[in-house]
């Protein structure tokens, strides 16, 4: 395939060399003549293991050359990949000037040539940016079918970028409608088994990954600082934490939905924060964990109240399904907030027998919701018959039972991803989707 790569910085240089290695004919495009000259001599403009050798071989084999002429590069190729930089502005916002400039060049070249083309954005851009570029430069070309536009974020790490390109740990392709493209061009060029999403979701994945990496570094460093203050080895502590690949280093706890709660997490997060404060160790990241959980809880309550109804039903109240533990349950907190806002609640939880609650569990619910007995229903059908908004936090009812009682004028708020609820005859909305 003939490919033009716009921007010969870190991502563009590695992409160009690896595409040439894979047998494609590549034209690199950049505004800096120094980079063009280096490329045409087979020299890398950046230091990256293995890249010089790849570029030198590609130039010798005639598989790679570079130019400042964007129009000519587009005219000679079937695919253009945009890898230009998106630096930060002094305000912290993203500077899309380079992407906008290159998009304008490509669009003009395509309008003049009349050819069909595939355009792949790889530059790191905030959600909505691809749509912005399309609206500004390519909408007519896209609608006519002459240009197919994808957003494919890169996940290349400095120092291992060549290997990361050859064997990507993650592959994503963003399309206008979120459907996997039939042409297979992006997968053929960039490899992996790409997940297909809409443009904005694909753009978001890049930021979600980088934010997660940043949070992990910050978390490990804060635990390390606290360990050092205690005279312990933070590296050893984190090695043991990471040895648990069932819960700690896994997808567990990584599904958006209910705020965290229960008898352990809130208590232990609070205790460690107080302990760190007491010995003079600042933990800004860990210290805001309870605050972000409260914000999520408040957002959930706001979503429920935003339906404009006061008869609210809760499917599930305990901290976890198949338990009767109400200590620190986020749904108890939701119920408290709804009652405080004048709502009339009906609750179904098949595991709750209030007469059997003992100890701290009984004490907490007596303190927080002393009239809970009056709110409990014997069946999910009873909840649906009484309420205009249903908040589903647990899969505690049969779908067919819900289907027979659901009404078209009812709203359901799905807190934990109970996908079958989307198929029932009511108005569905997910907490985070």
């Amino acid at each position: 395939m003939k490919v033009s790569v716009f921007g010969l910085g870190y991502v563009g240089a590695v992409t160009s060399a690896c595409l040439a290695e894979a047998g494609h004919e590549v034209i690199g495009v950049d505004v800096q003549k120094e980079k063009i000259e280096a490329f045409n001599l087979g020299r890398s403009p950046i230091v990256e293991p293995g890249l010089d050798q790849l570029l030198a071989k590609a130039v010798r084999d005639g598989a790679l050359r570079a130019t400042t002429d964007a129009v000519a590069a587009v005219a000679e190729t079937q695919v253009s990949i945009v890898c230009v930089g998106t630096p930060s502005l002094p305000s912290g916002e993203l500077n899309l000037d380079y992407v906008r400039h290159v998009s304008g060049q490509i669009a003009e070249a395509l309008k003049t040539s009349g050819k069909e083309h595939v355009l792949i954005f790889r530059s790191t851009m905030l959600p909505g940016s691809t749509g912005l570029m399309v609206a500004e430069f390519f909408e007519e070309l896209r609608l006519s079918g002459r240009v197919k536009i994808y957003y494919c974020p890169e996940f290349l790490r400095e120092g291992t970028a060549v290997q990361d390109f050859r064997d990507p740990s993650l592959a994503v392709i963003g399309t206008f409608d979120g459907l996997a493209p039939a042409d297979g061009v992006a997968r053929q060029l960039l490899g992996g088994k790409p997940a297909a999403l809409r443009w904005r979701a694909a753009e978001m994945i890049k930021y979600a990954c980088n934010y997660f990496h940043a949070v992990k570094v910050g978390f490990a460093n804060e635990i390390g600082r606290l360990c050092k203050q205690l005279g312990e080895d933070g590296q050893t502590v984190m090695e043991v934490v990471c040895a648990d690949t069932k819960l700690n280093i896994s997808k567990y706890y990584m599904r958006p939905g209910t705020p965290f709660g229960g008898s352990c997490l809130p208590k232990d997060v609070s205790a460690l924060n107080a302990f760190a404060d007491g010995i003079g160790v600042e933990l800004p990241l860990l210290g805001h964990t309870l605050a972000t959980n409260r914000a999520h809880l408040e957002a959930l309550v706001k979503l429920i109240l935003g339906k404009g109804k006061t008869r609210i039903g809760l499917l599930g109240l305990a901290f976890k399904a198949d338990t009767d533990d109400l200590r620190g349950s986020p749904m108890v907190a939701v119920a408290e907030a709804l009652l405080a806002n004048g709502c009339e609640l009906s609750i179904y939880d098949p595991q709750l027998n209030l007469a059997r609650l003992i100890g701290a569990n009984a004490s907490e619910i007596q303190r927080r919701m002393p009239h809970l007995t009056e709110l409990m229903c014997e069946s999910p059908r009873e909840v649906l018959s009484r309420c205009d908004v249903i908040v589903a936090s647990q899969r505690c009812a049969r779908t067919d039972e819900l289907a027979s009682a659901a009404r078209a004028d009812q709203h359901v708020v799905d807190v934990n991803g109970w996908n079958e609820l989307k198929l029932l005859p009511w108005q569905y909305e997910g907490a985070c989707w």
Side-chain angles (χ1 to χ4, degrees):
M1 210 174 298
K2 294 183 178 181
V3 184
S4 51
V5 176
F6 285 77
L8 299 180
Y10 204 91
V11 176
V14 173
T15 298
S16 297
C18 290
L19 287 176
E21 180 191 35
H24 302 287
E25 185 178 329
V26 181
I27 302 175
V29 185
D30 204 286
V31 296
Q32 295 185 22
K33 292 183 178 179
E34 297 84 358
K35 287 184 180 179
I36 299 301
E37 291 171 358
F39 251 65
N40 286 329
L41 291 172
R43 294 203 305 261
S44 172
I46 60 170
V47 175
E48 178 64 29
L51 188 55
D52 269 319
Q53 295 90 323
L54 284 181
L55 287 174
K57 184 177 187 305
V59 170
R60 284 198 310 269
D61 294 346
L64 174 65
R65 59 188 174 88
T67 180
T68 58
D69 191 337
V71 174
V74 173
E76 294 180 46
T77 56
Q78 304 155 279
V79 182
S80 291
I81 303 177
V82 176
C83 301
V84 297
T86 52
S88 295
L89 294 168
S91 64
E93 295 176 294
L94 206 64
N95 185 349
L96 289 177
D97 286 352
Y98 301 129
V99 177
R100 184 171 280 107
H101 176 71
V102 163
S103 294
Q105 289 181 313
I106 296 172
E108 286 304 313
L110 291 173
K111 288 174 183 176
T112 301
S113 69
K115 63 183 293 189
E116 293 186 355
H117 206 69
V118 173
L119 174 60
I120 300 174
F121 288 100
R122 284 212 105 184
S123 302
T124 298
M125 302 191 295
L126 286 165
S129 300
T130 299
L132 183 66
M133 294 302 114
V134 171
E136 191 167 343
F137 301 105
F138 300 102
E139 188 64 359
E140 183 179 338
L141 294 167
R142 185 187 72 82
L143 291 174
S144 70
R146 283 179 48 206
V147 179
K148 297 176 181 177
I149 300 171
Y150 307 130
Y151 181 77
C152 299
E154 52 81 21
F155 304 99
L156 307 178
R157 298 167 295 170
E158 293 190 28
T160 60
V162 171
Q163 182 56 36
D164 288 343
F165 189 99
R166 291 168 174 163
D167 183 21
S169 60
L170 179 63
V172 174
I173 179 166
T175 64
F176 171 75
D177 54 11
L179 300 178
D183 58 37
V185 170
R187 180 173 181 177
Q188 182 180 345
L189 292 174
L190 304 177
K193 298 179 180 178
L197 307 96
R198 289 185 292 187
W199 287 330
R200 284 183 300 181
E203 292 163 331
M204 188 66 229
I205 284 177
K206 173 66 174 181
Y207 282 92
C209 289
N210 280 356
Y211 225 110
F212 188 39
H213 301 330
V215 167
K216 287 190 288 186
V217 171
F219 173 82
N221 285 339
E222 289 195 0
I223 293 295
R225 290 203 304 276
L226 185 55
C227 287
K228 185 175 179 63
Q229 184 73 8
L230 298 172
E232 298 298 333
D233 185 342
Q235 289 188 333
T236 299
V237 168
M238 285 307 302
E239 284 175 5
V240 175
V241 168
C242 293
D244 181 355
T245 57
K246 181 178 180 180
L247 299 181
N248 291 343
I249 308 301
S250 71
K251 64 181 181 181
Y252 214 77
Y253 303 114
M254 292 293 288
R255 294 179 68 246
T258 310
F260 68 73
S263 60
C264 296
L265 294 186
K267 173 179 70 70
D268 292 347
V269 169
S270 180
L272 191 65
N273 285 338
F275 178 73
D277 286 343
I279 61 175
V281 178
E282 291 188 30
L283 304 177
L285 177 63
L286 300 181
H288 282 81
T289 304
L290 291 175
T292 193
N293 201 53
R294 284 194 298 271
H296 192 65
L297 179 68
E298 291 166 4
L300 177 57
V301 172
K302 184 177 179 180
L303 175 62
I304 298 166
L305 293 174
K307 302 304 178 186
K309 309 290 184 179
T310 57
R311 299 193 306 165
I312 313 295
L314 304 184
L315 297 180
L317 187 68
F319 161 54
K320 280 187 177 181
D322 299 321
T323 79
D324 66 351
D325 193 354
L326 296 169
R327 295 171 299 168
S329 168
M331 294 312 298
V332 171
V334 168
E336 288 179 301
L338 294 175
L339 288 171
N341 278 275
C343 294
E344 178 185 334
L345 296 189
S346 300
I347 302 170
Y348 174 72
D349 191 318
Q351 302 303 327
L352 282 185
N353 182 341
L354 301 183
R356 291 181 55 188
L357 296 183
I358 60 174
N361 198 9
S363 299
E364 178 163 353
I365 203 62
Q366 183 61 34
R367 175 178 61 83
R368 297 175 66 182
M369 295 182 66
H371 306 299
L372 178 58
T373 303
E374 302 168 14
L375 308 178
M376 297 299 296
C377 296
E378 294 185 359
S379 71
R381 190 178 186 84
E382 184 181 354
V383 172
L384 268 61
S385 68
R386 293 181 177 184
C387 300
D388 301 308
V389 178
I390 310 300
V391 182
S393 67
Q394 295 177 15
R395 300 181 185 228
C396 56
R398 298 196 321 272
T399 306
D400 60 345
E401 186 177 10
L402 297 177
S404 65
R407 306 191 310 269
D409 64 330
Q410 281 178 322
H411 298 266
V412 62
V413 176
D414 180 7
V415 182
N416 273 323
W418 188 352
N419 290 328
E420 290 82 1
L421 297 182
K422 298 177 184 178
L423 306 176
L424 304 189
W426 50 21
Q427 300 172 57
Y428 173 93
E429 185 170 0
C432 297
W433 52 94

